Amino acid sequence: MDNLTENLNVRPGDIVLLVGKDRKEFIISVEPGREHQTHHGVLPHDAIIGKRWGATVATHLGYTYLILPPSLEQLVRSIRRATQIVYPKEIGYLLMKMNIGPGTRVIEAGTGSGGLTLALARMVMPHGHVYSYEVRPETQALAQKNLAALGLLPYVTLKLRDIAEGFDERGVDAVFLDVREPWDYLPHVHTALKGGGFFGSLLPTTNQVAALLRHLQQPAFGYIEVEELILRPYKAVPGRLRPFDRIIAHTGYLVFARALPGEFNPDLDTRPERFGDPDLTDAAEFIDDSE
Amino acid sequence: MDNLTENLNVRPGDIVLLVGKDRKEFIISVEPGREHQTHHGVLPHDAIIGKRWGATVATHLGYTYLILPPSLEQLVRSIRRATQIVYPKEIGYLLMKMNIGPGTRVIEAGTGSGGLTLALARMVMPHGHVYSYEVRPETQALAQKNLAALGLLPYVTLKLRDIAEGFDERGVDAVFLDVREPWDYLPHVHTALKGGGFFGSLLPTTNQVAALLRHLQQPAFGYIEVEELILRPYKAVPGRLRPFDRIIAHTGYLVFARALPGEFNPDLDTRPERFGDPDLTDAAEFIDDSE
Amino acid sequence: MDNLTENLNVRPGDIVLLVGKDRKEFIISVEPGREHQTHHGVLPHDAIIGKRWGATVATHLGYTYLILPPSLEQLVRSIRRATQIVYPKEIGYLLMKMNIGPGTRVIEAGTGSGGLTLALARMVMPHGHVYSYEVRPETQALAQKNLAALGLLPYVTLKLRDIAEGFDERGVDAVFLDVREPWDYLPHVHTALKGGGFFGSLLPTTNQVAALLRHLQQPAFGYIEVEELILRPYKAVPGRLRPFDRIIAHTGYLVFARALPGEFNPDLDTRPERFGDPDLTDAAEFIDDSE
Amino acid sequence: MDNLTENLNVRPGDIVLLVGKDRKEFIISVEPGREHQTHHGVLPHDAIIGKRWGATVATHLGYTYLILPPSLEQLVRSIRRATQIVYPKEIGYLLMKMNIGPGTRVIEAGTGSGGLTLALARMVMPHGHVYSYEVRPETQALAQKNLAALGLLPYVTLKLRDIAEGFDERGVDAVFLDVREPWDYLPHVHTALKGGGFFGSLLPTTNQVAALLRHLQQPAFGYIEVEELILRPYKAVPGRLRPFDRIIAHTGYLVFARALPGEFNPDLDTRPERFGDPDLTDAAEFIDDSE
């Protein structure tokens, strides 16, 4: 309860989303003594500290900003990025598809700017862990900074490594590859995953999807799925409700598969029989055999 | 490590996804002595117990099934349902948009068959909590059974209540309404949410969305968004990659808003100035004012 | 054959699409003595006249352009516009749905910049006719210029008129309304259409669609349909085939209905029984009763 | 006018769409003395002849049907088919993209059940012509019957021929290939088309699209485009406006290109420089160089 009372107001160190009347948004870490420069005047952090969440604050020129706690979606979209990020719509879906939640041990590569990393870390805490591989030092440094700003570093191990050398972990629950040619690393993925473990990848082109599918035709993998998520935002005007004119219509194709106990055979590229190609009408039924 | 070794094999009480060559899927709780009847013969649970995850098991007629741990997506789609469920694609996205993760306190209504409830419970554990309201006793009983089967009841408080009477909780992080006329309960939502807290709803028709938007034009709410997610599955065949012919093309529109400190004014239905109507190109920037 | 030979080369008066290496496109009417100014130098029309269709032509700076006959899709998209145009994807579809082709008599309002008008004129020629109503003189003048440039004026009667005053024509095959509040003119539409005739409209918001549907619940109209067309362009790169990142995701909702012999009842807004609400799985079967 | 008066009523030989209250639809050719059997009783054609278009007619059991002229969209969807048809949404769009209208000379292969053929014939009449190639005699016979029933045979030449042997026509405006491996026939397409002429194809898989794009990287072709059209039908209920739950989400990818004067080089599969890869924001501008 004490905790609830405190949470009513912005405290030093809090991560704050500021939303202007011009719909311009900023996310800042609030620290006593600092100032935030906007196009509409200066906003001293001290004017934000102690305000109620959801209240407004004015710049020295009288321009007001709404003070909100950022959502995970907003954090992911706001991070400083050197690379293309995985979008929140795909992140939310892969959490569900790859069974990632509190307690999960998950490998990710590459780290990139850390957008997916921070979402994974937020979701597996407090007892799970993210092992995130990246080959470019400056990219990893950016991700580290992003994760540190949000206090999520304790849940992440950042590794500076070409994943062609393999992963250190064994028996992990899930592996997600956001790399150009994920098929090159399937034997390493298989070695790291536990039986029935979840593999996922995000690929922008149909050619990459076809190549990955070809390499997944292995006794070592099964239950292969390809899906695409399209997010359609609407103008939130009650009397003129309509979709946005222009949208981001393509981010990538999601490919999912499961690790099976079979050996990975690098020479194989056809598989006569496949388990579990998903069919829309065949959601599993939960059956109680005690009845 | 000991734990890892154990996890290699299916144990009594484990929730198991069985996938047949005919792509028919079942999810069962494995118990010694029980049997599972399939169209292709009998599958004794004892034949599954002790098997490695990802291995296959055969019925007495020799028909084989793949043994997999189900994903949260598969669990949600598999539960016994008396009502329309919220789909995994929307659940994953609302986790991101409404900042729901480990530690979150969230109210949900109605409970329905418990599909969303189980996903929320899985994601807020171990320290968060789900307060789930439902007015129909038999629906609640079904949800309770579904949650119990997955060991998630400790993270959920099920309440048999018409939410027109209000919510018991105060200062919660998020409220999600999956009801026909969510606008009727906005004052209660506002009372229960903490400042800047997350409100979300899923509505099948454009008329409902317009009505909810009209009622959200309140000083008590802001940052209103309407979005729709379309999931497009593809045939996972490397040489003939193509979208499924027929898909579920509509589940519902997601409406999101934030609770602001202002008073809820039931007589109001226009608001001259609105904060934070989202614009696709304006993701917040994370800004480090220390530099 | 003589005609074919002539058609091999660009002649004075031809409408020409020029496509630069920078993918910048122009459509011009080629006339001896004129010049076309580009960012890459001057292109004398005389350098285009006599060239083979599909050949290239160079500016005085050596920058080359491809010479193509424009498609109807390109013409519609290229016209000088003072208003939002109806997009080619919707035009093509409404031709099919409203049975518009050679010989059709069709009413259209408003004329706007004449994009739809020119497509209709092109498709109903030589024996059909387009009656196009517009209330703004300068908009009509622009449409007239656009139609004249393409030689399509003989197939169009442009009328400067508020359609609240009704249409002059009777027994027409089809009426298409591209106006803000089409429901206001339904009695006039019904008077102008022949029995079973085609009514269509394009509306950007869901609120407008709902309003039009409400007013179509009349004995005077039946077989009501609402449809939306989404065009997804792909990067035409063989090794990196993928959808465009950003697209135009919404132009409008198409509403179609048929005029029935019943009287239009302006006081009516519910209709107990409805014919022919379309169901996707129920395409009509062509049945030969002679067998 | 005389013609108009006659058209008010159904005459012998007319093609009629019948729509039942159960939304079941039939398209029949009305002939004196015949009867149409429905699940709700017998409908003598003589009871339809003389009725006003848009009126209703009752079976001997009193079940009523709405009498409507079918649209081209309904005709295409209703024909007896032995093969997958090209859908009306794609037909309407390719008319616009390939500049097909009254007077156009167009080659099509294969004829299939004649759905596209009848739409093309309807649109190029009275002075254009469709040359339609098919290799299977019984398929061609079905198409011929479908075209004859609609009186469209005068505008079509049906050819029983493997197009690997080439096309007979030269200087045609457009060629549309609805075959499995269209790339095999590109040299023949190029020979048949006039300069700048329109090539189009419809392909269900991404692999086929990539293969066709690879073969179109030729000096003999340019202005290559890939597009997909998604049709989203809505429940036409004013108070509960919403998309259909389940739709046909994929028919095929449309590929368009233009014939250029260059030689077709069968050995080529890369082309260093490409003209006119379309960019969404770059619709051609119609420019009047006389000003």
Side-chain angles (χ1 to χ4, degrees), chain A residues 5-288:
Chain A
T5 318
E6 282 186 275
N7 275 343
L8 286 172
N9 302 318
V10 178
R11 295 166 300 180
D14 279 350
I15 307 293
V16 168
L17 168 71
L18 296 171
V19 185
K21 284 185 188 170
D22 56 358
R23 301 176 182 187
K24 184 95 183 136
E25 303 182 6
F26 310 96
I27 294 178
I28 61 173
S29 174
V30 175
E31 304 298 344
R34 286 194 191 157
E35 291 186 330
H36 182 64
Q37 304 289 340
T38 80
H39 286 290
H40 303 284
V42 176
L43 208 51
H45 287 210
D46 290 318
I48 301 170
I49 293 168
K51 282 270 187 183
R52 295 191 60 170
W53 288 102
T56 53
V57 62
T59 66
H60 81 291
L61 297 177
Y63 196 84
T64 55
Y65 284 87
L66 190 60
I67 301 168
L68 291 175
S71 69
L72 188 50
E73 186 256 357
Q74 290 163 328
L75 285 174
V76 167
R77 290 175 63 211
S78 76
I79 61 160
R80 290 189 183 204
R81 63 183 82 169
T83 53
Q84 179 61 35
I85 60 162
V86 181
Y87 279 76
K89 66 185 166 97
E90 272 91 23
I91 296 177
Y93 193 59
L94 71 86
L95 294 174
M96 301 293 292
K97 295 286 287 192
M98 298 177 69
N99 217 26
I100 296 169
T104 304
R105 293 174 68 235
V106 55
I107 291 175
E108 168 209 33
T111 309
S113 314
L116 175 57
T117 322
L118 80 85
L120 294 175
R122 168 72 185 101
M123 287 305 197
V124 304
M125 65 183 284
H127 304 307
H129 204 78
V130 182
Y131 305 90
S132 186
Y133 288 75
E134 173 61 56
V135 74
R136 292 160 295 179
E138 50 318 328
T139 303
Q140 191 196 52
L142 177 62
Q144 182 157 29
K145 193 175 172 184
N146 283 325
L147 290 162
L150 298 167
L152 290 168
L153 271 181
Y155 313 107
V156 182
T157 302
L158 294 170
K159 301 201 171 185
L160 197 64
R161 171 95 60 84
D162 183 344
I163 60 172
E165 298 165 26
F167 303 107
D168 297 327
E169 296 74 26
R170 294 295 176 270
V172 301
D173 302 296
V175 177
F176 188 82
L177 295 189
D178 180 21
V179 299
R180 190 185 302 259
E181 300 184 330
W183 48 87
D184 283 346
Y185 314 107
L186 288 179
H188 297 317
V189 168
H190 190 252
T191 302
L193 278 172
K194 68 182 182 191
F198 297 85
F199 167 67
S201 191
L202 181 68
L203 295 162
T205 74
T206 63
N207 313 73
Q208 287 167 298
V209 173
L212 179 53
L213 290 177
R214 213 151 39 229
H215 287 81
L216 283 169
Q217 293 201 323
Q218 279 283 342
F221 286 98
Y223 208 92
I224 299 156
E225 295 175 285
V226 178
E227 295 180 297
E228 189 186 13
L229 268 179
I230 298 165
L231 179 67
R232 200 176 195 201
Y234 283 69
K235 303 256 180 191
V237 183
R240 294 191 302 279
L241 179 63
R242 49 168 291 177
F244 275 33
D245 290 346
R246 286 170 180 269
I247 65 166
I248 296 174
H250 183 66
T251 49
Y253 302 98
L254 286 163
V255 179
F256 298 109
R258 296 292 194 97
L260 304 187
E263 291 276 309
F264 191 91
N265 181 345
D267 300 325
L268 205 65
D269 66 357
T270 54
R271 195 175 48 153
E273 187 180 54
R274 289 237 313 275
F275 276 107
D277 289 320
D279 187 347
L280 196 66
T281 55
D282 277 21
E285 247 178 297
F286 200 125
I287 288 168
D288 188 344

Side-chain angles (χ1 to χ4, degrees), chain D residues 210-261:
Chain D
L212 180 53
L213 290 177
R214 213 153 39 231
H215 287 81
L216 283 169
Q217 294 201 324
Q218 279 284 343
F221 286 97
Y223 207 92
I224 300 155
E225 295 176 286
V226 178
E227 294 180 299
E228 189 187 12
L229 267 179
I230 298 166
L231 179 67
R232 202 177 193 200
Y234 283 69
K235 303 255 179 189
V237 183
R240 294 191 303 278
L241 179 63
R242 50 167 292 176
F244 275 34
D245 290 346
R246 286 172 180 268
I247 67 167
I248 297 174
H250 183 67
T251 48
Y253 302 98
L254 286 163
V255 179
F256 298 110
R258 297 290 195 97
L260 304 188

Side-chain angles (χ1 to χ4, degrees), chain B residues 245-260:
Chain B
D245 291 346
R246 287 171 179 268
I247 66 167
I248 296 174
H250 183 68
T251 48
Y253 302 99
L254 286 163
V255 180
F256 299 109
R258 296 291 195 97
L260 304 187

